[in-house]
Amino acid sequence: MAARVVMKQLVIAIDGYSSCGKSTTAKAVAAALHYAYVDTGAMYRAVTLHLLEHQIPFDDLGRVEAALHELTISFRRNRRTGRNEVFLDGVNREDDIRQMVISNSVSEVSVIAMVRHAMVAQQQRMGRKRGVVMDGRDIGTTVFPDAEVKVFMTADVVVRAERRQMELALNGEMVVLDDIIENLRKRDHLDSTRAESPLRRAADAVLLDTTHLVIDEQVDFVLERVSAALFAPQG
């Protein structure tokens, strides 16, 4: 009987700026490899939604800490759409966390050290068994610095804003392009300059500029890096 070949399980970290196609690419890569997919940005959006709905000021650290102990965030696969959706306290809030009001505040929540510590710990638990694709801001630098595949995605800010505008429109939310550009630039600055796990390219991450690429090209780019990692000589 032929020996069964067991392929090693990798951690694939896809970091970068908002609206570069990170989540769409990461989902497709995970599906192609039959890996788990974790949208870490959605976790921070869920925390932001919880704080806003409970009228908890972001600088009231006592109440923020209490909220982190109380709330639960999980992902469940929607069998009809095939996508992983975010559940906050057992309720599907996938569409709610994608609203512009959340985008306007999520970077302010993400800079809070206790929020990052709580989310990073949960993300590390999710990826402990490996065989996972995670996208976010600090996966390759903080969450899984030992990830076998690291990709850092970027794109022209106007192109990113146009993509984000289209996404919002599909959800029935019409937002002026200039407002989205301003939001993205603000988030870029906050994410890149925060003291706790700032957005930056890991030294061993490969750069992927998606300005002129379609999703299939982005997915192929990542899968090529996965193949190289899987079949790299050991030693």
Side-chain angles (χ1 to χ4, degrees):
M1 181 182 294
R4 181 171 178 264
V5 176
V6 179
M7 198 72 70
K8 65 179 179 180
Q9 298 288 287
L10 308 180
V11 172
I12 301 168
I14 302 181
D15 292 308
Y17 297 97
S18 302
S19 302
C20 289
K22 291 197 311 293
S23 295
T24 305
T25 297
K27 290 173 190 174
V29 168
L33 297 172
H34 301 288
Y35 276 19
Y37 164 66
V38 179
D39 179 357
T40 64
M43 298 171 69
Y44 291 100
R45 284 176 171 270
V47 174
T48 303
L49 177 63
H50 180 91
L51 297 182
L52 290 174
E53 289 190 334
H54 289 80
Q55 299 181 329
I56 298 175
F58 301 158
D59 59 357
D60 189 338
L61 299 184
R63 293 182 66 190
V64 170
E65 183 176 19
L68 288 171
H69 288 301
E70 294 169 0
L71 62 82
T72 61
I73 299 171
S74 60
F75 293 91
R76 301 181 195 175
R77 186 175 184 276
N78 185 317
R79 293 182 179 179
R80 182 176 58 82
T81 64
R83 68 176 184 172
N84 279 357
E85 297 178 333
V86 175
F87 281 69
L88 176 61
D89 297 327
V91 179
N92 188 332
R93 306 303 301 272
E94 179 67 27
D95 291 335
D96 296 327
I97 66 168
R98 306 298 174 184
Q99 297 178 87
M100 195 66 185
V101 64
I102 304 300
S103 297
N104 285 334
S105 298
V106 65
S107 288
E108 295 177 54
V109 173
S110 298
V111 302
I112 303 172
M114 66 179 66
V115 172
R116 296 212 72 83
H117 291 166
M119 295 301 103
V120 167
Q122 185 168 340
Q123 291 154 17
Q124 289 173 333
R125 286 194 296 271
M126 290 176 173
R128 190 168 293 153
K129 295 181 179 179
R130 311 188 80 75
V132 64
V133 182
M134 285 195 182
D135 73 82
R137 303 287 193 281
D138 60 349
I139 310 306
T141 54
T142 300
V143 183
F144 282 104
D146 63 340
E148 291 87 353
V149 177
K150 297 181 185 179
V151 177
F152 188 91
M153 294 175 64
T154 187
D156 177 81
V157 68
V158 175
V159 173
R160 292 161 55 203
E162 290 171 345
R163 292 171 180 169
R164 178 67 178 142
Q165 186 182 50
M166 187 178 302
E167 179 185 344
L168 290 166
L170 289 173
N171 289 329
E173 189 173 0
M174 307 306 296
V175 182
V176 176
L177 186 64
D178 285 346
D179 291 344
I180 299 175
I181 293 174
E182 181 181 356
N183 169 258
L184 290 176
R185 285 177 171 156
K186 175 186 174 184
R187 291 180 63 188
D188 290 348
H189 176 73
L190 288 173
D191 290 342
S192 301
T193 59
R194 66 183 178 226
E196 194 73 30
S197 301
L199 167 64
R200 61 182 176 85
R201 178 183 171 188
D204 54 347
V206 62
L207 184 67
L208 173 57
D209 188 329
T210 70
T211 302
H212 303 296
L213 299 181
V214 297
I215 293 298
D216 285 349
E217 292 172 316
Q218 297 170 197
V219 173
D220 287 344
F221 180 95
V222 178
L223 289 176
E224 287 171 5
R225 271 66 195 171
V226 171
S227 294
L230 285 172
F231 299 108
Q234 303 297 307

